[in-house]
Amino acid sequence: MVELMPRRVMVVGSVPPPVHGSSVMAERLLDALEMLGVESILVDKKLSFSIDEIGGGSIRKAGRAARFVNRVGKAVPDGSPLCIYFLTCAPGSFLVDCLALYRLRRRRARIVPYLHGIGFQTLAAKGRLWRWMVAWSFGVAERVVILGRSAYQDVRPWVDESSVFVVPNAVPPPPPGALRGRTRHGSSDDETRRTRFLYFATLDPEKGAREFLLAARHCRHAGLDADFIVAGQSVDEAYTEDLRSLAQSPELAGRVRMTGGVFGEAKAALFREADVFVFPTRYRHENFPLVNLEAMSFGLPVISTRRGCIPEQVPHGKAGLIADSNAPDALADLMLAVARSAKLRARLSRGAKELYEAEYTPEAFAERWREVLHECYNAG
């Protein structure tokens, strides 16, 4: 039996640069469509050209927004095409999205919002007009794609569960040779050296680098012989300087390495040399962070927080440990537990690697999109 799918799909989303979760996944969606033999028409909705611009407003960005909305309308091919739209919940970007969705509806596109952030109920709570716009944006949708089952609660007032598809994020496997020096399930071959904890994310206050270092200080107070790596691009120099000062405090002096932004082979090397990955995020739009998946692909146990879909992404006790908050003492308790038990560390390492290989590879991602496209094609 031949599986029916659309031959051509519009994708409206931003691709790198800058590099952030949804732009990376826009590229991976294009790769998945190519893998499935589906032609893609990309309309790049890039409004920011650097990490520093994200979240801010300017006359220049307003001009880019106007040109983007105009491009969307002109890019729609004839014949009611399927359009996968990266819908945002940040207020300014959401207003632009509503204008673009209106243009798409006027051209009879069949819209499938693809949601990478949590916060639509917060957006709707801003007032009556915002509630109407959120309801309208989902009302024009044919289907909705979310990253995890728990993300449905954010859109439940406007979206019927039967029209929702769950397509978790995915990351490619480590490059050839990147796991050299690690056991089959990812833990370090050298059991005599100090435990190495890695934090890797943008140095944004909501992403938890400071909480990581404060937890590291708790660990040192408890007598743990360990090293701590902080990797990520700075977006707030005052905050980054505060991190440097904390890293040089007496309890942490000589035990913390701050690398700045790291990419490519250097990034893989950091994951390879680490024993445990820690991501204590409190980011308000956190959903299904790629950094946790990257750590799992290297077989690293993940210690993270109860934000967005993280508890289902990293099952507690199977692939990592989930803290109820990013309070440093709570994080330190979990870090100490993993560092002091080789048996627990090995079990979580094995679970992380196995879960990645079963659920979060590019192949698994493409197969889930095959189901979405097949269902949308038949519904149309």
Side-chain angles (χ1 to χ4, degrees):
M1 180 178 176
V2 178
E3 188 173 41
L4 298 177
M5 289 195 302
R7 292 179 299 173
R8 185 167 55 174
V9 171
M10 281 188 71
V11 176
V12 182
S14 62
V15 294
V19 176
H20 55 84
S22 63
S23 69
V24 170
M25 289 313 301
E27 280 196 323
R28 293 198 180 134
L29 173 59
L30 297 175
D31 291 341
L33 293 174
E34 183 177 3
M35 192 183 303
L36 296 173
V38 176
E39 179 188 352
S40 59
I41 303 170
L42 173 66
V43 181
D44 193 344
K45 60 179 284 191
K46 192 193 314 291
L47 304 182
S48 300
F49 283 81
S50 69
I51 291 291
D52 294 342
E53 282 192 294
I54 294 176
S58 67
I59 294 176
R60 181 178 298 176
K61 288 183 71 173
R64 292 171 190 161
R67 290 190 293 273
F68 157 67
V69 172
N70 187 49
R71 285 201 315 275
V72 166
K74 292 181 177 180
V76 181
D78 295 331
S80 299
L82 194 67
C83 175
I84 301 169
Y85 194 103
F86 282 71
L87 184 63
T88 55
C89 52
S93 297
F94 178 75
L95 290 174
V96 176
D97 286 341
C98 285
L99 293 173
L101 291 174
Y102 177 76
R103 293 293 304 274
L104 289 167
R105 286 294 292 170
R106 288 290 301 271
R107 295 297 307 275
R108 298 185 178 180
R110 298 163 57 205
I111 301 166
V112 178
Y114 184 18
L115 311 183
H116 277 258
I118 300 288
F120 287 98
Q121 292 205 34
T122 301
L123 191 62
K126 289 171 65 68
R128 182 179 300 175
L129 179 60
W130 290 96
R131 284 196 300 275
W132 180 86
M133 287 190 294
V134 172
W136 178 84
S137 67
F138 288 117
V140 300
E142 183 164 305
R143 295 287 192 276
V144 175
V145 176
I146 58 178
L147 306 188
R149 292 182 300 277
S150 54
Y152 175 65
Q153 297 305 314
D154 191 41
V155 298
R156 186 175 183 177
W158 311 285
V159 179
D160 189 274
E161 194 167 8
S162 64
S163 67
V164 169
F165 288 97
V166 177
V167 181
N169 283 339
V171 297
L179 295 179
R180 191 178 300 116
R182 303 190 69 80
T183 65
R184 177 173 175 269
H185 296 299
S187 57
S188 171
D189 288 339
D190 183 0
E191 298 295 338
T192 63
R193 66 169 174 79
R194 295 193 293 253
T195 303
R196 290 176 183 164
F197 293 91
L198 171 64
Y199 168 95
F200 193 111
T202 302
L203 300 186
D204 181 300
E206 292 189 20
K207 293 290 187 175
R210 190 171 193 276
E211 286 77 9
F212 171 68
L213 289 178
L214 290 172
R217 192 163 67 180
H218 278 279
C219 290
R220 294 291 294 140
H221 280 156
L224 182 65
D225 193 18
D227 293 315
F228 308 90
I229 304 168
V230 176
Q233 184 176 349
S234 174
V235 295
D236 181 335
E237 189 52 41
Y239 177 72
T240 303
E241 186 56 38
D242 178 56
L243 296 179
R244 293 192 189 103
S245 297
L246 184 56
Q248 293 166 7
S249 62
E251 301 91 341
L252 295 177
R255 295 305 183 99
V256 176
R257 174 156 51 109
M258 295 186 65
T259 69
V262 179
F263 307 94
E265 293 182 4
K267 178 179 177 179
L270 285 181
F271 280 101
R272 182 175 64 244
E273 69 179 85
D275 298 297
V276 183
F277 184 73
V278 184
F279 184 51
T281 178
R282 56 181 176 86
Y283 177 50
R284 60 193 179 279
H285 299 307
E286 199 69 77
N287 195 339
F288 211 93
L290 294 177
V291 287
N292 284 348
L293 300 183
E294 290 175 312
M296 292 165 67
S297 76
F298 279 82
L300 295 183
V302 174
I303 296 175
S304 197
T305 43
R306 201 171 295 281
R307 281 281 179 166
C309 297
I310 292 176
E312 64 182 277
Q313 178 192 46
V314 184
H316 183 77
K318 178 180 179 181
L321 300 175
I322 301 297
D324 289 329
S325 74
N326 71 342
D329 55 346
L331 291 170
D333 287 343
L334 300 184
M335 292 164 68
L336 288 167
V338 175
R340 288 173 171 170
S341 173
K343 184 176 180 180
L344 174 62
R345 196 162 61 248
R347 176 166 61 82
L348 296 177
S349 173
R350 180 170 57 251
K353 186 68 173 175
E354 290 175 351
L355 185 59
Y356 163 74
E357 291 175 345
E359 300 290 341
Y360 303 137
T361 63
E363 292 76 16
F365 182 69
E367 283 306 308
R368 289 187 173 101
W369 273 106
R370 183 194 299 276
E371 295 173 11
V372 174
L373 297 177
H374 176 66
E375 182 70 22
C376 290
Y377 185 88
N378 288 336

Coordinates of all heavy atoms in Angstrom, one line a residue, residues 1-76:
M1 N 0.8 -1.2 0.0 CA 0.0 0.0 0.0 C 0.9 1.3 0.0 O 1.8 1.4 0.8 CB -0.9 0.0 1.2 CG -1.8 1.2 1.3 SD -2.9 1.1 2.8 CE -3.7 2.7 2.6
V2 N 0.6 2.2 -0.9 CA 1.4 3.4 -1.0 C 0.9 4.4 0.1 O -0.3 4.6 0.2 CB 1.3 4.0 -2.4 CG1 2.0 5.3 -2.5 CG2 1.8 3.1 -3.5
E3 N 1.9 4.9 0.8 CA 1.5 5.9 1.9 C 1.5 7.3 1.2 O 2.4 7.7 0.6 CB 2.6 5.9 3.0 CG 2.2 6.7 4.2 CD 3.2 6.6 5.3 OE1 4.4 6.5 5.0 OE2 2.8 6.5 6.4
L4 N 0.3 7.9 1.4 CA 0.1 9.2 0.7 C 0.6 10.3 1.6 O 0.3 10.4 2.8 CB -1.4 9.4 0.4 CG -2.0 8.3 -0.6 CD1 -3.5 8.6 -0.7 CD2 -1.3 8.4 -1.9
M5 N 1.4 11.2 1.0 CA 1.8 12.4 1.7 C 1.9 13.6 0.7 O 1.9 13.3 -0.5 CB 3.3 12.2 2.3 CG 3.3 11.2 3.4 SD 5.0 11.4 4.2 CE 6.1 11.0 2.9
P6 N 1.8 14.8 1.2 CA 2.0 15.9 0.3 C 3.4 15.9 -0.4 O 4.3 15.5 0.2 CB 1.8 17.1 1.2 CG 2.1 16.7 2.6 CD 1.7 15.2 2.6
R7 N 3.4 16.3 -1.6 CA 4.7 16.4 -2.3 C 5.5 17.6 -2.0 O 6.7 17.6 -2.1 CB 4.4 16.3 -3.8 CG 3.9 15.0 -4.3 CD 3.7 15.0 -5.8 NE 2.7 16.1 -6.2 CZ 2.4 16.4 -7.4 NH1 3.0 15.8 -8.4 NH2 1.5 17.3 -7.7
R8 N 4.8 18.6 -1.5 CA 5.4 19.9 -1.2 C 4.8 20.5 0.0 O 3.6 20.5 0.2 CB 5.3 20.8 -2.4 CG 6.0 22.1 -2.3 CD 6.0 22.9 -3.7 NE 4.7 23.1 -4.2 CZ 4.5 23.8 -5.4 NH1 5.5 24.3 -6.0 NH2 3.3 23.9 -5.8
V9 N 5.7 21.1 0.9 CA 5.2 21.7 2.2 C 5.9 23.0 2.4 O 7.1 23.2 2.1 CB 5.5 20.7 3.3 CG1 5.3 21.4 4.7 CG2 4.7 19.4 3.2
M10 N 5.1 24.0 2.8 CA 5.7 25.3 3.2 C 6.2 25.2 4.6 O 5.6 24.5 5.5 CB 4.7 26.4 3.2 CG 4.4 27.0 1.8 SD 3.3 28.5 2.0 CE 4.5 29.7 2.7
V11 N 7.4 25.8 4.9 CA 7.9 25.8 6.3 C 8.2 27.3 6.6 O 8.9 27.9 5.9 CB 9.2 25.0 6.5 CG1 9.7 25.2 7.9 CG2 8.9 23.5 6.2
V12 N 7.5 27.8 7.6 CA 7.7 29.2 8.0 C 8.4 29.2 9.4 O 7.8 28.9 10.4 CB 6.4 30.0 8.1 CG1 6.7 31.5 8.5 CG2 5.7 30.0 6.7
G13 N 9.7 29.6 9.4 CA 10.5 29.6 10.6 C 11.8 30.2 10.3 O 12.2 30.3 9.2
S14 N 12.6 30.5 11.4 CA 13.9 31.0 11.2 C 14.9 29.9 11.3 O 14.8 29.0 12.1 CB 14.2 32.1 12.3 OG 14.1 31.6 13.6
V15 N 16.0 30.1 10.4 CA 17.1 29.1 10.5 C 18.3 29.9 10.9 O 18.4 31.1 10.8 CB 17.3 28.5 9.1 CG1 16.1 27.6 8.7 CG2 17.5 29.5 8.0
P16 N 19.3 29.2 11.4 CA 20.5 29.9 11.9 C 21.2 30.7 10.8 O 21.1 30.3 9.6 CB 21.4 28.8 12.4 CG 20.5 27.6 12.7 CD 19.4 27.8 11.7
P17 N 22.0 31.8 11.1 CA 22.1 32.3 12.5 C 21.0 33.2 12.9 O 20.3 33.7 12.0 CB 23.4 33.1 12.4 CG 23.5 33.6 10.9 CD 22.8 32.5 10.1
P18 N 20.8 33.5 14.2 CA 21.6 33.0 15.3 C 21.1 31.6 15.6 O 20.1 31.1 15.2 CB 21.2 34.0 16.4 CG 19.8 34.4 16.1 CD 19.8 34.5 14.6
V19 N 22.0 30.9 16.4 CA 21.7 29.5 16.8 C 20.9 29.5 18.1 O 21.4 30.0 19.1 CB 23.1 28.7 16.9 CG1 22.8 27.3 17.4 CG2 23.8 28.7 15.6
H20 N 19.7 29.0 18.0 CA 18.9 28.8 19.2 C 18.0 27.6 18.9 O 18.0 27.1 17.8 CB 18.1 30.0 19.6 CG 17.3 30.6 18.6 ND1 16.0 30.1 18.3 CD2 17.5 31.6 17.7 CE1 15.5 30.8 17.3 NE2 16.4 31.7 16.9
G21 N 17.3 27.1 19.9 CA 16.5 25.9 19.8 C 15.6 25.8 18.5 O 15.7 24.8 17.8
S22 N 14.7 26.8 18.4 CA 13.8 26.7 17.3 C 14.5 26.8 15.9 O 14.0 26.2 14.9 CB 12.6 27.7 17.4 OG 13.1 29.0 17.4
S23 N 15.5 27.6 15.8 CA 16.2 27.8 14.5 C 16.9 26.5 14.1 O 16.9 26.1 13.0 CB 17.2 29.0 14.5 OG 18.3 28.8 15.3
V24 N 17.5 25.9 15.1 CA 18.2 24.6 14.8 C 17.2 23.5 14.4 O 17.4 22.8 13.4 CB 18.9 24.1 16.1 CG1 19.4 22.6 15.9 CG2 20.1 25.0 16.4
M25 N 16.0 23.5 15.1 CA 15.0 22.5 14.7 C 14.3 22.9 13.4 O 13.8 22.0 12.7 CB 13.9 22.4 15.8 CG 14.5 21.7 17.1 SD 15.4 20.2 16.8 CE 14.1 19.2 15.9
A26 N 14.3 24.1 13.0 CA 13.8 24.4 11.6 C 14.7 23.8 10.6 O 14.2 23.2 9.6 CB 13.8 25.9 11.4
E27 N 16.0 23.8 10.8 CA 17.0 23.1 9.9 C 16.7 21.6 9.9 O 16.7 21.0 8.8 CB 18.4 23.4 10.3 CG 18.9 24.8 9.8 CD 20.4 24.9 9.8 OE1 21.0 24.3 10.8 OE2 21.0 25.5 8.9
R28 N 16.5 21.1 11.1 CA 16.3 19.6 11.2 C 15.0 19.2 10.5 O 14.9 18.1 10.0 CB 16.4 19.2 12.6 CG 17.8 19.4 13.1 CD 18.2 18.6 14.3 NE 19.6 19.0 14.6 CZ 20.1 19.3 15.8 NH1 19.3 19.4 16.8 NH2 21.4 19.6 15.9
L29 N 14.0 20.1 10.6 CA 12.7 19.8 9.9 C 12.9 19.7 8.4 O 12.4 18.8 7.7 CB 11.7 20.8 10.3 CG 10.3 20.7 9.5 CD1 9.7 19.4 9.7 CD2 9.4 21.9 9.9
L30 N 13.7 20.7 7.9 CA 14.0 20.7 6.4 C 14.7 19.4 6.1 O 14.4 18.8 5.0 CB 14.8 21.9 6.1 CG 14.1 23.3 6.3 CD1 15.1 24.4 6.0 CD2 12.8 23.4 5.4
D31 N 15.7 19.0 6.9 CA 16.4 17.7 6.6 C 15.4 16.5 6.7 O 15.6 15.6 5.8 CB 17.5 17.5 7.7 CG 18.6 18.5 7.5 OD1 18.8 19.1 6.4 OD2 19.4 18.7 8.5
A32 N 14.5 16.5 7.6 CA 13.6 15.4 7.7 C 12.7 15.4 6.5 O 12.4 14.3 6.0 CB 12.7 15.6 9.0
L33 N 12.2 16.5 6.0 CA 11.4 16.5 4.8 C 12.1 16.0 3.6 O 11.6 15.2 2.8 CB 10.9 17.9 4.6 CG 9.9 18.5 5.6 CD1 9.6 20.0 5.3 CD2 8.6 17.7 5.7
E34 N 13.4 16.4 3.5 CA 14.2 15.9 2.4 C 14.4 14.3 2.5 O 14.3 13.6 1.5 CB 15.6 16.5 2.4 CG 16.5 16.1 1.3 CD 17.8 16.8 1.3 OE1 18.0 17.6 2.2 OE2 18.6 16.6 0.3
M35 N 14.6 13.9 3.8 CA 14.7 12.4 4.0 C 13.4 11.7 3.6 O 13.5 10.5 3.1 CB 15.0 12.2 5.5 CG 15.4 10.8 5.9 SD 15.6 10.6 7.7 CE 16.8 11.9 8.0
L36 N 12.3 12.3 3.7 CA 11.0 11.7 3.4 C 10.6 11.9 1.9 O 9.6 11.5 1.5 CB 9.9 12.3 4.3 CG 10.0 12.1 5.8 CD1 8.9 12.8 6.5 CD2 9.9 10.6 6.1
G37 N 11.5 12.7 1.2 CA 11.2 12.9 -0.2 C 10.1 14.0 -0.5 O 9.5 14.0 -1.5
V38 N 10.0 14.9 0.5 CA 9.0 16.0 0.4 C 9.7 17.3 0.1 O 10.7 17.7 0.8 CB 8.2 16.1 1.7 CG1 7.2 17.3 1.6 CG2 7.4 14.8 2.0
E39 N 9.3 18.0 -0.9 CA 9.9 19.3 -1.3 C 9.5 20.3 -0.2 O 8.3 20.4 0.1 CB 9.5 19.7 -2.7 CG 10.0 21.1 -3.1 CD 9.4 21.6 -4.4 OE1 8.7 20.8 -5.0 OE2 9.7 22.7 -4.7
S40 N 10.4 21.2 0.2 CA 10.0 22.2 1.2 C 10.2 23.6 0.6 O 11.1 23.8 -0.2 CB 10.9 22.1 2.4 OG 12.3 22.2 2.1
I41 N 9.3 24.5 0.9 CA 9.4 25.9 0.6 C 9.6 26.7 1.9 O 8.7 26.8 2.7 CB 8.1 26.4 -0.1 CG1 7.8 25.5 -1.4 CG2 8.2 27.9 -0.5 CD1 6.4 25.8 -2.0
L42 N 10.8 27.1 2.1 CA 11.2 27.8 3.3 C 10.9 29.3 3.2 O 11.4 30.0 2.2 CB 12.6 27.6 3.7 CG 13.1 28.4 4.9 CD1 12.4 28.0 6.2 CD2 14.6 28.3 5.0
V43 N 10.1 29.9 4.1 CA 10.0 31.3 4.3 C 10.7 31.6 5.6 O 10.2 31.3 6.7 CB 8.6 31.8 4.3 CG1 8.5 33.3 4.5 CG2 7.8 31.4 3.1
D44 N 11.9 32.2 5.6 CA 12.7 32.5 6.8 C 12.1 33.7 7.5 O 12.0 34.8 7.0 CB 14.1 32.8 6.4 CG 15.1 32.8 7.6 OD1 14.6 32.8 8.7 OD2 16.3 32.7 7.3
K45 N 11.6 33.5 8.7 CA 11.0 34.5 9.5 C 12.0 35.2 10.4 O 11.6 35.8 11.5 CB 9.8 34.0 10.3 CG 10.1 32.9 11.3 CD 8.9 32.5 12.1 CE 8.5 33.4 13.1 NZ 7.5 32.9 14.1
K46 N 13.3 35.2 10.1 CA 14.3 35.7 10.9 C 14.1 37.2 11.2 O 14.1 38.0 10.2 CB 15.7 35.5 10.2 CG 16.9 35.8 11.1 CD 18.2 35.8 10.3 CE 18.3 34.7 9.3 NZ 18.5 33.4 9.9
L47 N 13.9 37.6 12.4 CA 13.8 39.0 12.8 C 15.0 39.4 13.6 O 15.3 40.6 13.7 CB 12.5 39.2 13.7 CG 11.2 38.8 13.1 CD1 10.1 39.1 14.0 CD2 11.0 39.5 11.7
S48 N 15.8 38.5 14.1 CA 17.0 38.7 14.9 C 18.2 38.1 14.2 O 18.1 36.9 13.7 CB 16.9 38.2 16.3 OG 15.8 38.8 17.0
F49 N 19.3 38.8 14.1 CA 20.5 38.2 13.4 C 21.6 37.9 14.4 O 22.7 37.5 14.0 CB 21.0 39.2 12.3 CG 20.1 39.2 11.1 CD1 18.9 39.9 11.0 CD2 20.5 38.4 10.0 CE1 18.1 39.8 9.9 CE2 19.7 38.3 8.8 CZ 18.5 39.1 8.8
S50 N 21.4 38.1 15.7 CA 22.3 37.7 16.7 C 21.6 37.4 18.0 O 20.4 37.8 18.1 CB 23.3 38.9 17.0 OG 22.7 40.0 17.6
I51 N 22.2 36.7 18.9 CA 21.6 36.3 20.1 C 21.2 37.6 20.9 O 20.2 37.6 21.6 CB 22.6 35.4 21.0 CG1 22.8 34.1 20.3 CG2 22.1 35.3 22.4 CD1 21.5 33.2 20.4
D52 N 22.0 38.6 20.8 CA 21.8 39.8 21.6 C 20.4 40.5 21.1 O 19.8 41.2 21.9 CB 22.9 40.9 21.3 CG 24.2 40.4 22.0 OD1 24.1 39.5 22.8 OD2 25.3 40.9 21.6
E53 N 20.0 40.3 19.9 CA 18.8 40.9 19.4 C 17.5 40.2 19.8 O 16.5 40.8 19.8 CB 18.9 41.0 17.8 CG 19.7 42.1 17.2 CD 19.5 42.2 15.7 OE1 19.8 41.3 15.0 OE2 18.9 43.3 15.3
I54 N 17.7 38.9 20.2 CA 16.5 38.2 20.5 C 15.8 38.7 21.7 O 16.4 39.0 22.7 CB 16.8 36.7 20.7 CG1 17.4 36.0 19.4 CG2 15.6 35.9 21.2 CD1 17.9 34.6 19.6
G55 N 14.5 39.0 21.6 CA 13.7 39.5 22.7 C 13.6 41.0 22.7 O 12.8 41.5 23.4
G56 N 14.4 41.7 22.0 CA 14.4 43.1 22.0 C 13.6 43.7 20.8 O 13.2 43.0 19.9
G57 N 13.3 45.0 20.8 CA 12.6 45.6 19.8 C 13.4 46.8 19.2 O 14.3 47.4 19.9
S58 N 13.2 47.1 17.9 CA 13.9 48.2 17.3 C 13.2 48.5 16.0 O 12.4 47.7 15.5 CB 15.4 47.8 17.0 OG 15.4 46.8 16.0
I59 N 13.5 49.7 15.4 CA 12.9 50.1 14.2 C 13.4 49.1 13.1 O 12.6 48.7 12.2 CB 13.3 51.5 13.8 CG1 12.7 52.5 14.8 CG2 12.9 51.9 12.4 CD1 13.1 53.9 14.7
R60 N 14.6 48.7 13.1 CA 15.2 47.8 12.1 C 14.4 46.4 12.2 O 14.0 45.9 11.1 CB 16.6 47.5 12.4 CG 17.3 46.6 11.4 CD 18.8 46.4 11.8 NE 19.5 47.7 11.7 CZ 20.8 47.9 11.9 NH1 21.5 46.8 12.4 NH2 21.3 49.1 11.8
K61 N 14.1 45.9 13.4 CA 13.3 44.7 13.5 C 11.9 44.9 13.0 O 11.3 43.9 12.4 CB 13.3 44.1 14.9 CG 14.7 43.6 15.3 CD 14.7 43.0 16.7 CE 13.9 41.7 16.8 NZ 14.0 41.1 18.1
A62 N 11.3 46.0 13.2 CA 10.0 46.3 12.7 C 9.9 46.2 11.2 O 9.0 45.7 10.6 CB 9.5 47.6 13.2
G63 N 11.0 46.8 10.6 CA 11.1 46.7 9.1 C 11.2 45.3 8.6 O 10.6 44.9 7.6
R64 N 12.0 44.5 9.3 CA 12.2 43.1 8.9 C 10.8 42.4 9.0 O 10.5 41.5 8.2 CB 13.2 42.4 9.8 CG 14.6 42.9 9.6 CD 15.5 42.3 10.7 NE 16.9 42.9 10.7 CZ 17.7 42.9 11.8 NH1 17.3 42.2 12.9 NH2 18.9 43.4 11.7
A65 N 10.1 42.7 10.1 CA 8.8 42.0 10.3 C 7.8 42.3 9.2 O 7.1 41.5 8.7 CB 8.2 42.5 11.7
A66 N 7.8 43.6 8.8 CA 6.9 44.0 7.7 C 7.3 43.3 6.4 O 6.4 42.8 5.6 CB 6.9 45.5 7.5
R67 N 8.6 43.2 6.1 CA 9.0 42.5 4.9 C 8.7 41.0 5.0 O 8.4 40.4 4.0 CB 10.5 42.7 4.7 CG 10.8 44.2 4.3 CD 12.3 44.3 3.8 NE 13.2 44.1 4.9 CZ 13.6 45.1 5.7 NH1 13.1 46.3 5.6 NH2 14.5 44.8 6.7
F68 N 8.9 40.4 6.2 CA 8.6 39.0 6.3 C 7.1 38.7 6.0 O 6.8 37.8 5.3 CB 8.9 38.6 7.7 CG 8.2 37.3 8.2 CD1 8.5 36.1 7.6 CD2 7.3 37.4 9.2 CE1 7.8 35.0 8.1 CE2 6.6 36.3 9.7 CZ 6.8 35.1 9.1
V69 N 6.2 39.5 6.6 CA 4.8 39.3 6.4 C 4.4 39.4 4.9 O 3.6 38.6 4.4 CB 3.9 40.3 7.2 CG1 2.4 40.2 6.9 CG2 4.1 40.0 8.7
N70 N 5.0 40.3 4.2 CA 4.8 40.5 2.8 C 5.3 39.2 2.0 O 4.7 38.7 1.1 CB 5.5 41.7 2.3 CG 5.2 42.0 0.8 OD1 4.0 42.1 0.5 ND2 6.2 42.3 0.0
R71 N 6.5 38.7 2.4 CA 7.1 37.5 1.8 C 6.2 36.3 2.0 O 6.0 35.5 1.0 CB 8.5 37.2 2.3 CG 9.6 38.1 1.9 CD 10.9 37.5 2.0 NE 11.1 36.8 3.3 CZ 11.5 37.4 4.4 NH1 11.7 38.7 4.4 NH2 11.7 36.7 5.5
V72 N 5.6 36.2 3.2 CA 4.8 35.0 3.4 C 3.6 34.9 2.4 O 3.3 33.9 1.9 CB 4.2 35.1 4.9 CG1 3.1 34.1 5.1 CG2 5.3 34.7 5.9
G73 N 2.9 36.0 2.3 CA 1.8 36.0 1.3 C 2.2 35.7 -0.1 O 1.5 35.0 -0.8
K74 N 3.3 36.2 -0.5 CA 3.8 36.0 -1.9 C 4.3 34.5 -2.1 O 4.3 34.1 -3.2 CB 4.9 37.0 -2.3 CG 4.4 38.4 -2.4 CD 5.5 39.3 -2.8 CE 5.0 40.8 -3.0 NZ 6.1 41.7 -3.3
A75 N 4.7 33.9 -1.0 CA 5.4 32.6 -1.2 C 4.4 31.4 -1.3 O 4.8 30.3 -1.6 CB 6.3 32.3 0.0
V76 N 3.1 31.7 -1.0 CA 2.1 30.6 -0.9 C 1.8 30.1 -2.3 O 1.3 30.8 -3.2 CB 0.8 31.0 -0.2 CG1 -0.2 29.8 -0.2 CG2 1.1 31.5 1.2

